[in-house]
Amino acid sequence: VTGESAQGTYTSTINQQLTNTTNIQQTIVYTVTPISGTCEGRIFTITVKVNPRATIADKTPDAICSGLSFLVSPTNGNGDIVPSGTTYKWTAVDVLGGVSGESVQGTYTSTISQQLTNTTNVQQTVIYTVTPISGNCEGGTFTVTVKVNPVATIVDKTPDAICSGATYTFNPANGNGDIIPDGTIYKWTVVDLLGGVTGESC
């Protein structure tokens, strides 16, 4: 605990601001001498329990692929104070407006997690502003910044027929229901349905 100190002169109240620097309850015992006029009274004690308050730095987890869930479970240590049983609620901001699945969490949960879908062909960002609570002590807010990478989503294609001996080429393009991030590459398997074609290969 920090903030506790001796009071060498008489005051009308017994009051100090105390900070628990750990993730467990701490105790301060004050030994107090009262005085009335010139009459010093019997010494008594005040035992003050100081519950911990979650103090968590901003987090930036690894980027996730569209359609997957991120998970942040703060742990005590490395500058963070995370009492046992700490839970979280949050608000969310979709920075560029290209993500679905993010939502406000109005009640406290044990982890910070949501499934996010990037509806564009470029990386998107969702910023969560998180409030932790431990027992009845609400901690300061912190942010979780989640990067959501795009995933290629291409509907089935049936291009125009080609003549025998010609080369078939298809280059998917972003748009018209398809999501194609820059640099997308492809691999494939093939089935010759009637067995009468040569030149196809995996």
Side-chain angles (χ1 to χ4, degrees):
V1 175
T2 62
E4 79 282 5
S5 63
Q7 177 60 41
T9 58
Y10 290 99
T11 64
S12 59
T13 60
I14 305 158
N15 184 348
Q16 287 192 321
Q17 182 178 358
L18 304 177
T19 300
N20 184 341
T21 63
T22 77
N23 71 327
I24 59 174
Q25 188 183 75
Q26 300 289 317
T27 303
I28 298 291
V29 178
Y30 291 88
T31 301
V32 184
T33 302
I35 192 169
S36 304
T38 58
C39 300
E40 192 169 88
R42 183 183 65 84
I43 291 172
F44 65 98
T45 62
I46 298 174
T47 301
V48 181
K49 303 289 186 179
V50 187
N51 288 325
R53 187 188 300 272
T55 304
I56 302 171
D58 296 342
K59 307 297 179 189
T60 303
D62 292 338
I64 62 170
C65 291
S66 177
L68 298 183
S69 297
F70 76 93
L71 174 64
V72 174
S73 298
T75 57
N76 191 66
N78 298 316
D80 288 345
I81 298 174
V82 185
S84 179
T86 296
T87 55
Y88 309 90
K89 66 178 180 179
W90 58 81
T91 60
V93 175
D94 180 357
V95 175
L96 297 177
V99 176
S100 64
E102 79 285 0
S103 63
V104 172
Q105 177 62 44
T107 57
Y108 288 98
T109 63
S110 59
T111 58
I112 307 153
S113 179
Q114 286 191 324
Q115 182 179 4
L116 303 177
T117 299
N118 185 340
T119 61
T120 77
N121 70 329
V122 296
Q123 188 182 74
Q124 299 288 312
T125 301
V126 178
I127 299 176
Y128 292 86
T129 300
V130 184
T131 302
I133 193 168
S134 307
N136 61 354
C137 297
E138 193 170 87
T141 61
F142 63 98
T143 61
V144 175
T145 301
V146 182
K147 304 287 188 180
V148 187
N149 289 325
V151 170
T153 304
I154 304 170
V155 299
D156 295 341
K157 307 296 182 186
T158 304
D160 294 338
I162 63 170
C163 294
S164 178
T167 299
Y168 159 71
T169 301
F170 179 67
N171 293 312
N174 191 66
N176 297 317
D178 291 343
I179 298 174
I180 305 174
D182 287 344
T184 297
I185 56 177
Y186 308 90
K187 67 177 181 178
W188 59 81
T189 61
V190 296
V191 176
D192 181 355
L193 295 179
L194 299 178
V197 176
T198 61
E200 81 282 6
S201 63
C202 296

